[in-house]
């Protein structure tokens, strides 16, 4: 079930109303003071027109800034609604997010590992992904060769380097990307999960991926 809160939109509307009321009160006070000042001015030393014009210009500037703020708040609210609608479309879909978990389960031909991936920030001459067990021991090495920058999806058949089937369990993946000179290239392991719900919190839109946990929409790297 989708959980998208609409409190942000209500808060934005409240801010617009509040700002409008404040500026309206400021305008009323300014005009009242200006009229009073003009009525009680010294006939022998009347108010300078330039001074009155300057005060009016300042008020116009404040009003203009407030109107700009109202416009920006309205656009922000529309963007929030648009993002919420887009996030709702993710429900039921499998996605890749930062993480190293890989689960292997099933029996016989039905054995299957959860998809995982690599987020490569820049091109690399060598990309090697290593699957390790719960003790940290490597059980399978996947040589991806040279790769351009991008997000790559990988699948594991559940076999060790020697071709022996490994037991159903939780595993991790480690990524090592390098150039010809041996310098490291920034790379991140990605884990997969199915979006069960999305929620709008103070931290922004969050995706609930079941056992994989909760992730920000900004963590989304790929939709499978």
């Amino acid at each position: 079930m989708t959980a998208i809160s609409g409190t942000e939109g209500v808060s934005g509307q409240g801010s617009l109303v509040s700002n409008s009321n404040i500026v309206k009160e400021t305008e009323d006070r300014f005009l009242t003071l200006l009229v009073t000042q003009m009525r009680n001015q010294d006939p022998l030393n009347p108010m300078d027109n330039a001074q009155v014009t300057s005060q009016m210009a300042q008020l116009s500037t404040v009003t203009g800034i407030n109107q700009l703020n109202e416009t920006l708040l309205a656009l922000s609210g529309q963007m929030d609604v648009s993002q919420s609608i887009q996030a709702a479309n993710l429900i039921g879909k499998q996605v890749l997010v930062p993480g190293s978990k890989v689960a292997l389960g099933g029996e016989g031909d039905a054995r299957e590992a959860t998809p995982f991936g690599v987020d490569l920030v820049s091109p690399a001459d060598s990309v090697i992904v290593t699957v390790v067990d719960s003790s940290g021991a490597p059980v399978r090495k996947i040589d991806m060769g040279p790769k351009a920058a991008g997000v790559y999806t990988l699948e594991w058949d559940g076999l060790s380097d020697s071709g022996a089937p490994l037991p159903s369990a939780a595993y991790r993946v480690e990524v090592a990307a390098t150039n010809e000179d041996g310098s490291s290239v920034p790379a991140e392991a990605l884990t997969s999960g199915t979006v069960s719900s999305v929620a709008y919190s103070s931290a922004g839109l969050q995706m609930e991926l079941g056992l994989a946990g909760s992730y920000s929409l900004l963590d989304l790297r790929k939709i499978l």
Side-chain angles (χ1 to χ4, degrees), residues 65-121:
I65 292 175
N66 179 73
Q67 291 174 347
L68 177 61
N69 288 338
E70 290 179 353
T71 301
L72 292 176
L73 283 171
L75 289 174
S76 177
Q78 292 175 1
M79 290 177 64
D80 288 342
V81 172
S82 176
Q83 287 182 343
S84 297
I85 294 174
Q86 292 176 359
N89 291 331
L90 292 174
I91 295 176
K93 295 184 178 180
Q94 198 170 33
V95 298
L96 289 180
V97 293
S100 60
K101 296 178 181 178
V102 178
L104 177 63
E107 298 292 338
D109 293 338
R111 286 169 55 78
E112 184 179 17
T114 55
F116 56 98
V118 174
D119 184 4
L120 197 59
V121 176

Side-chain angles (χ1 to χ4, degrees), residues 118-122 124 126-128 175-178 184-190:
V118 174
D119 184 4
L120 197 59
V121 176
S122 58
S126 172
V127 181
I128 296 178
V175 182
T178 57
S184 61
V185 176
E188 184 177 35
L190 303 175

